[in-house]
Amino acid sequence: MIRAFAPGRVNLIGDHTDYLGGYALPIAIDLGTTVAMEPGGDALELVSDSDPAPARVPVDVRPDGDALAAIEPAWARYVAAVVSLVRPAIGGVGKVSTTLPVGAGLSSSASLEVALALSLGFGGTATDLARLCQQAEHLATGTATGIMDQLASAAAVAGHAMLIDCRSLALRPVALPSDAAVVIVDSGQRRSVGASAYQQRRDECEAAQQVIGPLRDASAAEVSRLDDSLLRRRARHVVTENARVLAMAEALAGGDLRAAGRLMVESHASLRDDFEVSTPVLDRLVEDVLALPGVHGARMTGAGFGGFVVALVDAGAAEAAASHRSVSGRLVASSGPANCW
Ligand code: GLA
């Protein structure tokens, strides 16, 4: 029996920066996806504990996005996309189980892709694994997402957040201070406009880059040269968010939780006002979480339009914050990298 586990992730800061070659600072969490299978045959046959319909994918399935988009059930598209890229010699029969809420912004799909690729014998580096799984995500969903989620899962270091330079793919683990804890809170809202709005934001950033060049390298003065006020706000989010990620990595490394918390609050405001991917439900939840004792900072996390809020909390206050009657929080521990045994 082959088993593989890949963690989900929560992004501490740096959203809508990865697909623009910017910076992000996710942590892999102790929730994730496990694949257990008996190798054999010429197809991969999997059942899932999150969907009654099984996935059956021939090992010679081709990486053709249009064909994959027609596969049912929908979760089998991820399976087929990974199989089409890993190209295993033999299939298998097994089971997928996950402790992540599916489609809630904690990278349930990335963790499925990474666990699957490992269980099928992918043997490259963590970065190669993340690249392959990012491509699988594109094939399965048709949305050109960045590499943060897959890299956070594949290359995680326990006890650390991961500073990702999404241009060079250089990784720098940043130790989480021992007096800090990370709490995630479910808004209960699930993104319905997510994929199209994501692509729209990408296109708007692309349009801004046509005028002022790569946003990763742009200064505030260059951003202010954009005549179109919508493009100016989008670009301002990206440029300021990249700076906040680097500042947050330094704040955490220096144990300055107050500074780290302030940066998270600024990040939320930027995602809400300039990038416009928050929702009133998320905004209210961030306010509620910020009002709890021991909370240094809180923000929406991931693509937006629902999902989770992430908070940086004093370790001693984390249990109380997570179980406060006004929020449905969960204290998360950091996870090590995806692995196969
Ligand atoms: C989703 C994508 C990531 C990233 C975030 C926003 O999670 O999969 O690549 O773009 O949204 O930061």
Side-chain angles (χ1 to χ4, degrees):
M1 181 72 87
I2 293 174
R3 282 195 175 75
F5 171 80
R9 64 98 187 93
V10 64
N11 192 19
L12 285 183
I13 199 163
D15 274 311
H16 291 279
T17 48
D18 61 348
Y19 52 81
L20 297 160
Y23 298 100
L25 189 67
I27 63 168
I29 58 175
D30 56 345
L31 300 173
T33 303
T34 303
V35 175
M37 75 157 118
E38 205 61 70
D42 56 8
L44 183 57
E45 297 180 46
L46 295 172
V47 293
S48 160
D49 64 1
S50 324
D51 193 321
R56 187 179 188 286
V57 175
V59 285
D60 59 357
V61 64
R62 286 160 39 81
D64 168 348
D66 291 337
L68 294 183
I71 291 178
E72 294 292 346
W75 73 276
R77 293 171 200 165
Y78 297 97
V79 180
V82 172
V83 170
S84 76
L85 296 172
V86 176
R87 307 175 66 77
I90 56 167
V93 176
K95 181 170 191 257
V96 175
S97 46
T98 188
T99 49
L100 286 162
V102 173
L106 298 178
S107 297
S108 55
S109 61
S111 86
L112 172 62
E113 292 148 10
V114 172
L116 271 173
L118 286 176
S119 71
L120 293 171
F122 181 84
T125 65
T127 302
D128 291 341
L129 174 60
R131 277 208 187 93
L132 178 136
C133 291
Q134 179 195 20
Q135 210 187 328
E137 176 86 25
H138 294 180
L139 279 170
T141 65
T143 305
T145 43
I147 199 167
M148 163 172 66
D149 307 345
Q150 291 81 6
L151 208 43
S153 180
V157 177
H160 292 70
M162 186 61 79
L163 176 60
I164 304 175
D165 177 336
C166 299
R167 179 148 74 189
S168 67
L169 299 188
L171 303 173
R172 190 182 122 204
V174 178
L176 290 167
S178 58
D179 56 347
V182 174
V183 171
I184 57 173
V185 186
D186 192 353
S187 73
Q189 201 173 32
R190 298 293 177 257
R191 40 179 149 138
S192 50
V193 290
S196 57
Y198 188 95
Q199 189 58 48
Q200 193 188 346
R201 296 301 182 282
R202 272 200 80 136
D203 293 346
E204 289 158 357
C205 290
E206 199 45 57
Q209 296 197 131
Q210 293 296 324
V211 184
I212 61 171
L215 293 180
R216 156 71 183 256
D217 303 318
S219 65
E222 282 163 327
V223 169
S224 67
R225 284 215 324 267
L226 286 162
D227 293 331
D228 184 302
S229 73
L230 183 117
L231 297 190
R232 198 160 61 234
R233 283 186 291 123
R234 301 295 189 250
R236 185 167 61 193
H237 164 69
V238 175
V239 170
T240 58
E241 185 81 346
N242 279 330
R244 280 187 291 269
V245 174
L246 296 177
M248 175 100 173
E250 291 321 308
L252 288 178
D256 189 345
L257 299 185
R258 291 185 60 173
R262 269 198 307 275
L263 290 160
M264 292 173 80
V265 171
E266 287 170 23
S267 169
H268 183 79
S270 179
L271 287 157
R272 180 191 62 209
D273 301 335
D274 280 349
F275 220 67
E276 293 179 285
V277 292
S278 187
T279 64
V281 171
L282 287 168
D283 296 342
R284 203 168 323 116
L285 188 55
V286 165
E287 292 304 321
D288 288 350
V289 171
L290 285 172
L292 299 176
V295 172
H296 291 285
R299 59 186 284 280
M300 57 150 276
T301 180
F305 304 105
F308 276 75
V309 161
V310 60
L312 187 69
V313 185
D314 276 332
E319 288 288 359
S323 60
H324 195 274
R325 61 186 154 66
S326 65
V327 301
S328 69
R330 187 181 196 284
L331 179 59
V332 284
S334 76
S335 167
N339 66 96
C340 185
W341 65 98

